[in-house]
Amino acid sequence: MKKLINAPEAVLADALSGIAAAHPSLKVDAENRVIARASGTKPGKVALVSGGGSGHEPLHGGFVGRGMLDAACAGEVFTSPVPGQMLTAAQAVDGGAGVVFIVKNYTGDVLNFQMAAELAVEEGITVETVLVDDDVAVQDSTYTAGRRGTGATVFVEKIAGALAEQGADLAAVAEMAKRVNASSRSFAVALTACTTPASGKPGFDLPEDEMEVGVGIHGEPGRRREKLRPAREIVATALDAILGDQPLDAGDETIVMVNGLGGTPLIELYVVFNEVAAALADKGVVIARNLVGNYVTSLDMAGVSLTVCKADADMLSLWDAPVNTPALRWGS
Amino acid sequence: MKKLINAPEAVLADALSGIAAAHPSLKVDAENRVIARASGTKPGKVALVSGGGSGHEPLHGGFVGRGMLDAACAGEVFTSPVPGQMLTAAQAVDGGAGVVFIVKNYTGDVLNFQMAAELAVEEGITVETVLVDDDVAVQDSTYTAGRRGTGATVFVEKIAGALAEQGADLAAVAEMAKRVNASSRSFAVALTACTTPASGKPGFDLPEDEMEVGVGIHGEPGRRREKLRPAREIVATALDAILGDQPLDAGDETIVMVNGLGGTPLIELYVVFNEVAAALADKGVVIARNLVGNYVTSLDMAGVSLTVCKADADMLSLWDAPVNTPALRWGS
């Protein structure tokens, strides 16, 4: 295993300490592994809390800041945070208007956020939970009952975060988060497996000329193994799966993310985006906004995920609203 | 070779087309492989042009935009652009106040930019050339006579770009660019070799338990091979080289970049930044600003580079000035 770390068991604490040192706009509770805005929550603002296993950076800590999350809970690598962390986060950021938990659909995350929601209610905090389950590759997987939550998390956090910033109430923010999830579909392909610090070896074997089609962000199996194909054909496969599940018509506006899984260089992501843009243009589908880069990663996995959100005017307007986080920043 | 591409010979054209599709703020001249601001140059503003081989994305095209570069020329992977591209770029963005060429110190880039400067002068364009040579690892290398130009390029382009945006004249912008370069030092370590699309195989062999200390951004050899060590010790080696060349005193303010080489996940970069912050704090050196992420990459190479710029108040103020490019964006 080749990693820039001190020791496998120190990775999360060291990285959180690095995040704290790099970003004065964030306040890192090292003991509880909660990353929150240093500025706190404005009274009356709905607070957004997310979290999950580490190894997907910048998700979620990199999306904490004005216009997006209020706090993120970091679990160990590929391991859900525990309810106590989520409760701590909710208590730290509740501004009296309630808290939205944004939960990627993995069994551990779902159970732990559910327990945290019950604990929070006991503490007098109103909580709405939004499940993200955008991955169309498989129905169930190693980590999940139902569809996995992946790239749409970024769209949900950005758009619902902007609405909360504008002063919307808890029900409205949760409703928008659910709408964004319901409008989004994702599909990923891996060229290599990722290696967790704890295991020290790749999570699966993938021959030198094959790819895993429909992979999950922890290296869970996808739909099938295939010979590696040109980017154009990989994009066609991903778009077939996405549009097969949510058809788009000519004139529909979308937000598209071409996301690197951690070990894929940016030049390849632009090659992929070029194919996505051409394929959608052929159908008359408009890419109104886009992200090309590393947003929801799987440690050092080489590969790409594609997320397409069918966006209405409200979503686009909220997308354009100011955001100031380590990983997304504009208009501010 | 596992890459998300259509064909090795199509990578650059496809990526440029993807950049054009993703960023409406940019205008991509596909034939000449020049990326410029779609808005053009305001008359009287000094224009900044950079460029170099591809494979280092987001460098340089990702730094084109308000507050930074006016245009970037893209060569083939790890190959200098040609003088005709640079001349085209200079002609496209000259606002009548002259053009600064920002050139990383690699033999091909230096010769081609020099020829382009001569051609530009014949066309009536005033040109100043600034050489970036911040890499303290080796004096000469496969691609370079003298020190290689690496991470400091980002600092030079950002700070000189901000000064140009404020209306400074050609001499002042070039002078500031030179000062930033003279104040910056870099050092890189590779855990794996990178694979160019054309060759299809890693540029060098590195045993499973070794790292290349002082590597260049094309995989050029560094100072030595060593057994892989903990992040803390790798940072100590890099900082020793950097501070050995440019001592810093307690109270000195710096801009620090912990830069991934393309195949290293963000969580590891934060582990590294944490060690840099601790080590500099021990010496009383202040990290006034920082970047942690992938800015100057080497295709899919796993590894990290560290760049430290001793920054005065002018540089920090220009660093904070608004910037709106694909890869750096704030205050706008």
Side-chain angles (χ1 to χ4, degrees):
Chain A
M1 175 178 63
K2 282 186 157 179
K3 291 190 184 296
L4 292 162
I5 62 176
N6 288 309
E9 63 279 9
V11 170
L12 180 54
D14 286 352
L16 285 173
S17 183
I19 288 169
H23 304 294
S25 65
L26 301 180
K27 182 174 56 183
V28 176
D29 175 345
E31 188 188 336
N32 292 298
R33 295 171 173 183
V34 172
I35 299 171
R37 304 187 196 183
S39 59
T41 308
K42 198 169 61 177
K45 191 190 92 72
V46 170
L48 274 68
V49 172
S50 192
S54 294
H56 309 300
E57 292 68 24
L59 190 80
H60 294 273
F63 299 122
V64 174
R66 191 157 62 84
M68 218 161 161
L69 295 179
D70 293 271
C73 309
E76 287 291 337
V77 170
F78 292 179
T79 303
S80 174
V82 295
Q85 291 175 266
M86 298 155 182
L87 177 63
T88 299
Q91 289 174 315
V93 302
D94 180 35
V99 175
V100 180
F101 282 164
I102 298 173
V103 185
K104 299 196 302 305
N105 189 34
Y106 296 97
T107 306
D109 293 291
V110 171
L111 292 174
N112 287 321
F113 267 108
Q114 192 177 335
M115 192 172 302
E118 290 164 13
L119 295 170
V121 168
E122 286 174 19
E123 300 289 329
I125 301 172
T126 316
V127 172
E128 286 274 358
T129 295
V130 176
L131 206 63
V132 180
D133 60 349
D134 54 310
D135 186 343
V136 299
V138 294
Q139 184 54 37
D140 300 300
S141 89
T142 323
Y143 290 73
T144 335
R147 288 180 168 181
R148 301 172 296 210
T150 60
T153 315
V154 179
F155 295 171
V156 170
E157 292 176 0
K158 170 67 185 83
I159 292 171
L163 189 61
E165 212 70 55
Q166 292 177 2
D169 67 16
L170 183 64
V173 173
E175 173 62 24
M176 176 57 80
K178 288 173 187 171
R179 274 180 54 210
V180 173
N181 176 60
S183 303
S184 300
R185 301 291 187 278
S186 294
F187 194 92
V189 171
L191 306 194
T192 67
C194 56
T195 299
T196 63
S199 82
K201 52 184 203 303
F204 55 91
D205 291 316
L206 197 53
E208 181 51 37
D209 60 345
E210 293 189 9
M211 59 182 174
E212 178 76 34
V213 178
V215 74
I217 57 172
H218 312 92
E220 308 98 294
R223 295 183 168 185
R224 59 182 179 274
R225 293 277 169 86
E226 275 185 17
K227 296 289 177 197
L228 183 60
R229 289 183 287 141
R232 186 164 303 140
E233 296 177 24
I234 293 173
V235 166
T237 297
L239 273 178
D240 278 352
I242 286 170
L243 301 182
D245 199 80
Q246 174 179 263
L248 293 174
D249 296 322
D252 281 348
E253 292 197 302
T254 62
I255 307 173
V256 166
M257 178 168 72
V258 168
N259 170 62
L261 296 180
T264 286
L266 188 56
I267 191 169
E268 296 181 34
L269 301 181
Y270 278 117
V271 169
V272 170
F273 184 78
N274 185 48
E275 297 304 332
V276 176
L280 290 180
D282 273 352
K283 298 177 193 297
V285 172
V286 178
I287 302 180
R289 307 290 185 275
N290 70 81
L291 291 177
V292 181
N294 294 305
Y295 297 98
V296 182
T297 60
S298 305
L299 294 170
D300 54 348
M301 185 185 282
V304 67
S305 70
L306 172 63
T307 302
V308 178
C309 173
K310 180 178 171 179
D312 60 25
D314 287 344
M315 292 179 197
L316 291 177
S317 166
L318 291 164
W319 181 262
D320 291 340
V323 62
N324 189 351
T325 71
L328 280 192
R329 189 169 172 179
W330 59 69
S332 56
Chain B
M1 174 177 63
K2 284 186 157 179
K3 290 188 184 298
L4 293 161
I5 62 176
N6 289 309
E9 63 278 11
V11 171
L12 179 55
D14 287 351
L16 286 173
S17 184
I19 288 169
H23 304 294
S25 65
L26 301 180
K27 183 173 57 183
V28 176
D29 175 344
E31 187 188 337
N32 291 297
R33 298 173 170 181
V34 172
I35 300 170
R37 304 187 197 183
S39 59
T41 307
K42 198 170 61 176
K45 191 190 92 70
V46 170
L48 274 69
V49 172
S50 191
S54 294
H56 308 300
E57 292 69 25
L59 191 80
H60 295 272
F63 299 122
V64 174
R66 190 158 61 84
M68 219 162 160
L69 293 179
D70 291 271
C73 309
E76 287 291 338
V77 170
F78 292 178
T79 304
S80 174
V82 295
Q85 291 176 267
M86 299 154 182
L87 177 62
T88 299
Q91 289 173 315
V93 302
D94 180 33
V99 175
V100 179
F101 282 165
I102 298 172
V103 185
K104 300 195 303 303
N105 190 34
Y106 296 97
T107 307
D109 293 289
V110 171
L111 291 174
N112 287 321
F113 268 109
Q114 191 176 337
M115 194 172 302
E118 290 165 12
L119 295 170
V121 168
E122 286 173 18
E123 300 289 328
I125 300 171
T126 316
V127 173
E128 285 273 357
T129 296
V130 175
L131 206 63
V132 180
D133 60 349
D134 54 310
D135 186 343
V136 298
V138 294
Q139 184 54 38
D140 300 300
S141 89
T142 324
Y143 290 73
T144 336
R147 288 181 170 181
R148 302 173 296 211
T150 61
T153 315
V154 179
F155 296 170
V156 169
E157 292 176 0
K158 170 67 185 83
I159 293 171
L163 189 61
E165 212 70 54
Q166 293 177 1
D169 68 15
L170 183 63
V173 173
E175 173 62 24
M176 177 57 79
K178 289 173 188 172
R179 273 179 53 208
V180 173
N181 176 60
S183 303
S184 300
R185 302 289 187 280
S186 294
F187 194 92
V189 171
L191 306 194
T192 67
C194 57
T195 299
T196 63
S199 82
K201 51 184 204 303
F204 54 92
D205 291 317
L206 197 53
E208 183 49 40
D209 60 344
E210 292 189 10
M211 59 182 174
E212 179 75 36
V213 178
V215 73
I217 57 172
H218 311 91
E220 309 97 293
R223 293 182 170 185
R224 59 181 179 273
R225 293 277 170 87
E226 274 186 19
K227 296 291 177 196
L228 183 60
R229 289 183 288 141
R232 186 164 303 139
E233 296 176 24
I234 293 172
V235 166
T237 296
L239 273 179
D240 278 353
I242 287 169
L243 300 182
D245 199 80
Q246 175 180 260
L248 292 174
D249 295 322
D252 282 348
E253 293 198 300
T254 62
I255 307 173
V256 166
M257 179 169 71
V258 168
N259 170 62
L261 296 179
T264 287
L266 189 56
I267 192 170
E268 296 180 33
L269 300 181
Y270 278 117
V271 169
V272 170
F273 183 77
N274 186 46
E275 297 303 334
V276 175
L280 289 180
D282 273 352
K283 298 177 193 297
V285 172
V286 177
I287 302 181
R289 307 289 185 277
N290 70 81
L291 291 177
V292 181
N294 294 304
Y295 296 97
V296 182
T297 60
S298 304
L299 293 170
D300 54 349
M301 185 184 284
V304 67
S305 70
L306 171 63
T307 302
V308 178
C309 172
K310 179 177 171 178
D312 60 27
D314 287 345
M315 293 180 196
L316 290 177
S317 166
L318 291 164
W319 182 261
D320 291 340
V323 62
N324 189 350
T325 72
L328 280 192
R329 188 168 173 181
W330 58 69
S332 56

